[in-house]
Amino acid sequence: MKEASDKIKARKVSVHGVVQGVGFRPLVYQLALNNHLKGQVFNTSGDVTIILEGAEGDIESFISQLRVAPPPRSRIESIDLEERPVEGLSGFEIKESRIKRDEYQLISPDIATCSLCISEISNPSDRRYKYPFTNCTNCGPRFTIIEDMPYDRGNTTMRNFKMCPACGKEYEDPYDRRFHAQPNACPECGPALQLSDSSGKIIPGDPLSLSIQYLMKSKVVALKGLGGFLLSCDATDDSAVSMLRERKGRGSKPFALMMASLYEVRKYCHVSEKEKDLLLSPQSPIVLLKRRSSSSSISSLVAPNIDTLGVMLPYTPLHHLILRGVNGPLVMTSGNVSEEPIIADNDEALMRLSGIADFFLTHNRDICSRYDDSVAMVVNNRTQVIRRARGLAPYPINLTYDSSMVLACGAEVKNSFCITRGRHAFLSQHIGDMENLETLEHFQDTVKLYKKLFHIAPEVVAYDMHPDYLSTRYALDLIKETGIEGVPVQHHHA
């Protein structure tokens, strides 16, 4: 007589959270085989669905293992189980994605380059040696390339890059860490760098090595990153930093720095254990750190008259390759004219930044959503996020109640908006000061994207009482156009 745990059962498993684009289905596939289970797994617009058939004890073991050790970049919010009739399935398969009307999926923020990808770009015998767009399911662009869900390559800005046979083989292999890594690419088939001068003239030669040379010659280089352009120069060169500050109209506001390693950061700054963890985290934010007296080799113009430096580590392969070449800290500040949003488009960068940057290191992978660097600091051994963007948005804040669909339009200065559905409050990335048409357009585009990705049609719009704020004008126009309920809020109360 069979034990109860050996009885053949069937279950439908629905997993919600950040479970797409993070190696979830490959893990499910391997766990199913290890536990002698039959069935299938597939993405939908709202979850990852798993169909399991096998001994009841093996199904319980599978669920337990999935809860305890999910993929490192995933975040499971819930696992729902439903009993099904046994159909006598054979084998275990990974199926194509399916669309579920009006359901939504949480989206992973962009993730700093993992150690395995760093080792590949550092290995002369690897086919991705020095390739600046190397990534896998544990790292790389996510939110900035996603145009729609489910998270499939055809719904991203990678759709125009057809994978070569080698990349295709990785993409189709459930045991490969690049299985269904949507940005997967290599030098044969993926995005490529291009270097031009401020007039747009292409400069022949290796774009990467030439950019490094120009940075070491006191030039300002605009680098196209994950969520937009960064303006970079030698942080130890007074003339370069002064030139960048003057051209950008930056005044005395501090510049962020990028340093090659934690070892280098400690040469210039005091770093606590908590600050070290922040710097090395997959979010890789700019961290505000107390300067050492030995940081005097960094130009005093980087952060005039303050005793802290905003420092981040390289978070893309391109950054790693550049920082190794220049052998010193670089200024890495948002690629924009002061008070305007970060620029994400190649042509717009050349048009608007040509008076700031001497050279432009661009590439041909489009950016869907602009994304500044996040900024954080440690206060009383607790992390305080000052600017929430790359690595953090659009992951939601979990509510303790079911919310109606509300759009809160945010403030005039340092704007970000919040949009809610169910128990999720999606706080946008940093938008900027709502002082000009460019920032208003960035705000409008980002609201539109969040509404599309998370299938939200606001029923209520909250806005500041000040009638001249651009965020308030946007809300009042929305109320007039749609007739939805408006809730004015005094900003000091908020």
Side-chain angles (χ1 to χ4, degrees):
M1 184 174 177
K2 281 192 172 183
E3 295 288 332
S5 61
D6 291 334
K7 289 181 180 177
I8 300 301
K9 294 284 187 177
R11 296 283 188 278
K12 177 184 175 184
V13 185
S14 178
V15 188
H16 296 269
V18 176
V19 289
Q20 293 190 19
V22 289
F24 205 87
R25 287 174 302 163
L27 178 70
V28 166
Y29 179 88
Q30 292 165 35
L31 286 179
L33 295 187
N34 292 344
N35 286 282
H36 318 293
L37 298 171
K38 315 296 184 185
Q40 56 189 236
V41 58
F42 51 89
N43 287 339
T44 78
S45 308
D47 66 358
V48 168
T49 298
I50 309 164
I51 307 298
L52 298 173
E53 285 191 4
E56 189 170 11
D58 291 336
I59 292 176
E60 291 174 358
S61 175
F62 171 95
I63 300 298
S64 175
Q65 291 169 38
L66 188 64
R67 289 186 194 276
V68 171
R73 301 282 77 84
S74 67
R75 291 198 195 187
I76 295 176
E77 290 207 333
S78 66
I79 298 178
D80 300 323
L81 304 177
E82 179 185 321
E83 194 159 348
R84 286 169 51 92
V86 177
E87 297 178 11
L89 300 175
S90 61
F92 195 90
E93 299 178 280
I94 298 173
K95 294 286 196 178
E96 292 295 313
S97 298
R98 302 178 190 180
I99 294 174
K100 287 186 177 180
R101 188 175 177 82
D102 293 331
E103 292 201 18
Y104 69 99
Q105 179 70 263
L106 300 186
I107 295 172
S108 169
D110 290 29
I111 304 165
T113 309
C114 70
S115 59
L116 291 173
C117 285
I118 292 171
S119 68
E120 288 174 339
I121 65 170
S122 308
N123 182 358
S125 64
D126 194 281
R127 71 189 188 94
R128 289 188 173 88
Y129 178 54
K130 290 189 175 180
Y131 184 56
F133 304 96
T134 299
N135 66 85
C136 68
T137 52
N138 294 324
C139 68
R142 296 291 189 274
F143 175 60
T144 53
I145 63 170
I146 294 174
E147 296 177 339
D148 206 349
M149 294 296 281
Y151 179 48
D152 293 325
R153 197 175 177 102
N155 288 331
T156 75
T157 60
M158 285 296 294
R159 73 169 66 85
N160 296 324
F161 297 97
K162 184 179 178 181
M163 282 181 279
C164 66
C167 285
K169 184 178 179 182
E170 294 169 334
Y171 185 84
E172 298 294 341
D173 181 359
Y175 287 97
D176 195 289
R177 79 177 200 280
R178 292 191 169 94
F179 176 78
H180 280 226
Q182 305 306 342
N184 189 31
C186 76
E188 292 295 316
C189 62
L193 295 175
Q194 178 176 280
L195 185 67
S196 62
D197 64 18
S198 57
S199 70
K201 180 183 175 183
I202 306 302
I203 299 172
D206 175 38
L208 183 61
S209 59
L210 286 171
S211 297
I212 290 168
Q213 290 176 35
Y214 289 132
L215 286 166
M216 295 175 73
K217 291 178 180 177
S218 304
K219 301 297 183 183
V220 176
V221 178
L223 310 170
K224 187 177 183 181
L226 283 176
F229 279 79
L230 293 170
L231 292 163
S232 183
C233 71
D234 182 350
T236 66
D237 187 326
D238 282 347
S239 63
V241 178
S242 174
M243 185 166 56
L244 174 55
R245 192 171 283 287
E246 182 179 344
R247 289 177 180 178
K248 195 180 178 192
R250 181 74 173 186
S252 60
K253 288 171 71 175
F255 285 135
L257 299 176
M258 184 175 282
M259 299 184 188
S261 66
L262 184 63
Y263 173 80
E264 185 174 23
V265 176
R266 283 180 162 145
K267 282 170 51 180
Y268 299 104
C269 302
H270 298 279
V271 182
S272 69
E273 275 298 303
K274 191 84 170 179
E275 289 164 340
K276 179 197 80 170
D277 292 343
L278 258 183
L279 287 164
L280 294 173
S281 70
Q283 292 75 37
S284 192
I286 297 168
V287 182
L288 302 187
L289 301 170
K290 186 86 169 175
R291 298 177 72 142
R292 290 185 185 274
S293 56
S294 57
S295 66
S296 57
S297 61
I298 292 176
S299 171
S300 61
L301 299 173
V302 165
N305 303 315
I306 59 175
D307 62 356
T308 58
L309 293 172
V311 181
M312 58 184 154
L313 294 175
Y315 56 84
T316 71
L318 178 61
H319 295 145
H320 282 279
L321 295 168
I322 287 175
L323 267 292
R324 289 174 191 176
V326 297
N327 195 30
L330 293 175
V331 168
M332 284 283 182
T333 188
S334 297
N336 60 355
V337 178
S338 282
E339 312 310 332
E340 292 183 5
I342 191 170
I343 292 169
D345 178 75
N346 292 349
D347 292 337
E348 184 187 1
L350 277 166
M351 180 177 69
R352 300 186 70 79
L353 301 180
S354 60
I356 301 176
D358 300 300
F359 298 96
F360 290 76
L361 183 60
T362 62
H363 58 75
N364 55 342
R365 183 179 69 202
D366 290 338
I367 295 169
C368 179
S369 189
R370 306 180 203 222
Y371 216 30
D372 280 291
D373 293 312
S374 291
V375 182
M377 65 187 298
V378 176
V379 180
N380 296 328
N381 206 38
R382 294 184 64 182
T383 298
Q384 176 70 52
V385 176
I386 296 167
R387 184 169 77 187
R388 188 177 190 269
R390 176 186 52 76
L392 299 173
Y395 195 77
I397 296 167
N398 290 326
L399 304 175
T400 57
Y401 56 90
D402 286 318
S403 170
S404 55
M405 297 186 189
V406 178
L407 169 62
C409 290
E412 178 81 349
V413 177
K414 309 295 184 190
N415 177 275
S416 60
F417 64 83
C418 185
I419 193 163
T420 64
R421 178 177 176 178
R423 297 208 166 198
H424 291 138
F426 297 97
L427 186 64
S428 79
Q429 68 267 36
H430 169 77
I431 301 294
D433 294 350
M434 300 282 283
E435 296 178 352
N436 49 59
L437 178 61
E438 291 81 8
T439 309
L440 175 61
E441 288 174 343
H442 176 28
F443 173 93
Q444 292 171 324
D445 290 344
T446 310
V447 169
K448 185 177 178 182
L449 180 66
Y450 274 60
K451 286 164 65 177
K452 178 182 179 183
L453 292 177
F454 303 117
H455 298 278
I456 297 174
E459 303 158 325
V460 179
V461 59
Y463 56 91
D464 195 284
M465 283 184 176
H466 197 302
D468 290 331
Y469 284 2
L470 289 182
S471 55
T472 298
R473 292 185 183 183
Y474 169 88
L476 295 175
D477 287 344
L478 185 64
I479 292 166
K480 188 176 180 181
E481 290 169 11
T482 64
I484 66 173
E485 181 185 354
V487 178
V489 180
Q490 214 284 338
H491 56 249
H492 291 296
H493 172 73

